[in-house]
Amino acid sequence: METHSVPATARALVPYFILGVASATIGLLPWILTGMRLPLQNLWASATLPDDMPLVLLPFSQYLLTLIVGVLVTGSAIAGIICRLSKPRHPRFALTAVAMGTVGVQLTATLQTANTVGDGLLRNSAAELYLTALLCGTIASILIGLLVLVLMAKAPAPGAVAASSIAAVCCGLWLEGLLFPIGSLTTPSAVALTLVRWSPAVILGVAVGIAGLKSVGRVLAAVFGILMLWVAPALFTAISVGGGTRVLAYQPAAMAQLGAEVFLNTLHPTLSTLVPLAIAAAIAVLVQAVSKTVRRGRLSRVTLR
């Protein structure tokens, strides 16, 4: 009996591993659709045309730091959502199999990209620092994504809402990469701009509305989500400006200082930063009202029977 149970359990976990692989691949879709050609590098060892740059599985570039975060965390969030929606039917170790599939793809992409970029960069301290910074940021994104996956899959409502808020802001980055591909010369449509701008607020509002505010934990999770919706855009702007300033490529301290200044300046409350918060709150109220109405309708039908 025991000798047959291990293979049977392993076979039952294969679909969950595949789910993780598929989710991580969907996360990488905005980069895959560009052709996965490594962007030109300021510290590349030899003069190379854009079309002759190697193929890589992640967009390693100081100009695409937020896209790296978006594709990795969003892939993990997709896996977590699917796990939560199918929660009653999970066999033992299902979440572990999903996480292994997801993180396995992401680590493979990281190693392939780091090796390829490392082989082509100059052999100096600036290039080493550049590659190390990209690697550290990528690993941090994978770990954040893993946390989001686990919380969305198994945590009580407050934890799931907190994870959803992180996923929401990263989904905005993912959508931006998908709808406005790198190197595209087409003018963004109004619909695409609207999706990118308001999708994080909508996702957060739906998550808070479904969870409700029936406990202190849920209220705190909702507050955390609102803070994420306010702080994250400023943080991403600071990362993009600081990391993408070519003249400071050899001055990491000055780069960090510029990023901090941009973050503080962008963090000031303005109409553009407050409107998403209001939209998230309005959607949360609407979703909660609809949920209550649906529950009352079900209860009345049961009572009539």
Side-chain angles (χ1 to χ4, degrees):
M1 291 289 290
E2 292 183 4
T3 56
H4 293 293
S5 63
V6 174
T9 302
R11 285 196 299 271
L13 293 176
V14 169
Y16 292 90
F17 181 83
I18 294 174
L19 168 61
V21 171
S23 299
T25 304
I26 293 172
L28 296 174
L29 196 59
W31 176 240
I32 293 172
L33 293 179
T34 68
M36 299 188 294
R37 187 73 62 181
L38 181 69
L40 291 174
Q41 306 285 306
N42 295 330
L43 298 170
W44 206 242
S46 59
T48 308
L49 294 173
D51 290 341
D52 293 330
M53 293 296 285
L55 296 177
V56 290
L57 297 175
L58 281 175
F60 267 27
S61 170
Q62 71 268 37
Y63 306 114
L64 300 175
L65 298 175
T66 57
L67 180 60
I68 295 173
V69 177
V71 298
L72 292 174
V73 178
T74 300
S76 297
I78 291 170
I81 291 171
I82 295 174
C83 284
R84 194 174 193 91
L85 293 177
S86 58
K87 197 171 181 179
R89 295 181 292 276
H90 288 177
R92 193 180 181 190
F93 301 122
L95 181 58
T96 302
V98 173
M100 288 177 62
T102 304
V103 175
V105 169
Q106 295 172 344
L107 286 178
T108 300
T110 302
L111 291 173
Q112 185 273 336
T113 304
N115 285 332
T116 303
V117 174
D119 289 341
L121 290 176
L122 293 166
R123 297 294 185 266
N124 59 28
S125 58
E128 290 177 1
L129 178 62
Y130 168 73
L131 183 57
T132 300
L134 284 172
L135 263 175
C136 289
T138 301
I139 295 299
S141 299
I142 292 173
L143 292 175
I144 292 170
L146 180 60
L147 176 63
V148 168
L149 191 163
V150 173
L151 289 177
M152 295 188 79
K154 295 200 72 172
V161 170
S164 297
S165 64
I166 299 173
V169 295
C170 292
C171 180
L173 301 175
W174 185 87
L175 275 174
E176 184 177 359
L178 183 69
L179 299 176
F180 312 139
I182 302 163
S184 175
L185 300 178
T186 58
T187 303
S189 67
V191 174
L193 287 170
T194 301
L195 280 173
V196 170
R197 185 176 184 185
W198 305 123
S199 58
V202 173
I203 293 170
L204 176 60
V206 170
V208 172
I210 292 174
L213 302 173
K214 295 180 290 186
S215 67
V216 174
R218 299 184 191 208
V219 172
L220 291 176
V223 171
F224 174 79
I226 293 296
L227 288 175
M228 280 293 300
L229 204 59
W230 176 34
V231 172
L235 178 61
F236 292 146
T237 301
I239 291 172
S240 297
V241 174
T245 304
R246 185 174 180 178
V247 295
L248 300 178
Y250 295 92
Q251 305 174 56
M255 187 182 292
Q257 183 179 355
L258 174 62
E261 291 173 358
V262 171
F263 174 72
L264 293 175
N265 291 333
T266 312
L267 198 60
H268 289 160
T270 62
L271 185 62
S272 62
T273 58
L274 294 177
V275 169
L277 309 186
I279 290 176
I283 291 176
V285 171
L286 178 62
V287 170
Q288 193 167 18
V290 172
S291 298
K292 287 182 178 179
T293 302
V294 171
R295 284 196 295 269
R296 286 172 185 166
R298 288 176 179 172
L299 182 60
S300 63
R301 285 196 295 271
V302 171
T303 305
L304 288 173
R305 288 176 187 175

